[in-house]
């Protein structure tokens, strides 16, 4: 599906009903009791954004759970992916 087709589908759906956006990613990730190794080592522990690289399966599961719960729209795990935040983990270049 092209970008234009996705936008048209979104506009159509918005005209028909209220759409539900996904939930709290950080809270959902806490349910996994992830260890430092899941984040890519102790240096990156707590960097949820790095999980998209190190544990994409976990990110997928969280997104799938939102869809199963009825969310119409999900977003990427990038809440803190700006260079200022990522620099705390020496990952600013990844932002």
């Amino acid at each position: 599906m092209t970008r234009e087709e996705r936008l048209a589908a979104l506009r159509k759906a918005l005209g028909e009903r209220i759409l539900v956006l996904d939930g709290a990613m950080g809270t959902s990730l806490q349910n996994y009791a992830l260890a430092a190794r899941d984040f890519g080592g102790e240096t990156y522990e707590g960097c949820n954004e790095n999980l998209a690289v190190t544990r994409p399966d976990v990110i997928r599961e969280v997104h799938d759970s939102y869809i199963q719960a009825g969310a119409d729209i999900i977003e990427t795990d990038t809440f803190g992916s700006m260079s200022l935040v990522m620099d705390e983990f020496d990952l600013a270049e990844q932002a």
Side-chain angles (χ1 to χ4, degrees):
M1 182 180 280
T2 67
R3 180 178 189 277
E4 291 76 21
E5 290 169 331
R6 289 191 307 272
L7 287 172
L10 177 61
R11 287 187 187 102
K12 182 177 185 301
L14 283 168
E16 296 170 351
R17 67 187 200 287
I18 295 171
L19 301 182
V20 178
L21 186 65
D22 65 14
M25 177 63 80
T27 303
S28 295
L29 291 172
Q30 288 176 357
N31 291 329
Y32 284 85
L34 299 168
R37 69 181 176 280
D38 294 303
F39 293 92
E42 289 184 22
T43 302
Y44 308 114
E45 188 170 11
C47 184
N48 290 342
E49 289 69 30
N50 206 41
L51 293 171
V53 175
T54 61
R55 291 296 307 272
D57 59 308
V58 171
I59 302 302
R60 168 71 68 170
E61 280 185 35
V62 172
H63 285 170
D64 286 347
S65 74
Y66 294 148
I67 292 169
Q68 290 171 6
D72 296 291
I73 303 168
I74 58 173
E75 59 184 332
T76 58
D77 177 36
T78 58
F79 182 74
S81 66
M82 60 192 104
S83 59
L84 179 65
V85 174
M86 296 295 282
D87 194 43
E88 294 176 24
F89 300 97
D90 293 322
L91 294 172
E93 72 281 353
Q94 299 292 324

